[in-house]
Amino acid sequence: MESLTFRHTTQKPLSGTKAQAITGVVASGNLEILLERVLPPDAFEIAIETPIAGYGQVWEAVVADFVARAQPGGVRISINDGGARPDTVSLRLLQGARLLEA
């Protein structure tokens, strides 16, 4: 099991007012993501628990792309990974951001 944490500064807070959201299901090849609006408006943090070690650089790149696209300021994300591919991770992150914006 590997634990990773990444922090970013954003240009703006994520729009919307919903306090939290969950997307995905931990199952074969997927992941569960909990999003919480608990940080200052220009801060973002993501904590990842994954059974697959050695992919920190891939996770870092996927997270950086998500931050650039969504500008999720004020949000802390917790991921329970079940072996998801990077494209699935990206999809679930964007789905979660949209749920918070609703």
Side-chain angles (χ1 to χ4, degrees):
M1 190 65 107
E2 185 168 15
S3 298
L4 304 165
T5 301
F6 301 105
R7 292 174 184 84
H8 290 265
T9 301
T10 62
Q11 296 174 3
K12 61 182 181 176
L14 185 68
S15 64
T17 59
K18 193 169 181 183
Q20 63 184 9
I22 295 176
T23 186
V25 176
V26 177
S28 179
N30 212 319
L31 70 164
E32 179 180 62
I33 299 177
L34 170 64
L35 301 94
E36 302 172 285
R37 217 180 272 274
V38 295
L39 297 175
D42 64 342
F44 170 75
E45 180 179 288
I46 187 165
I48 302 156
E49 295 292 326
T50 179
I52 303 171
Y55 285 87
Q57 289 181 327
V58 174
W59 279 103
E60 187 173 15
V62 171
V63 169
D65 179 66
F66 168 69
V67 171
R69 292 169 133 199
Q71 288 298 304
V75 177
R76 178 177 61 205
I77 295 179
S78 302
I79 294 181
N80 186 8
D81 178 42
R85 294 175 9 167
D87 58 340
T88 303
V89 174
S90 183
L91 172 69
R92 294 288 183 230
L93 286 170
L94 290 170
Q95 285 175 333
R98 295 305 165 250
L99 286 172
L100 279 184
E101 290 177 323

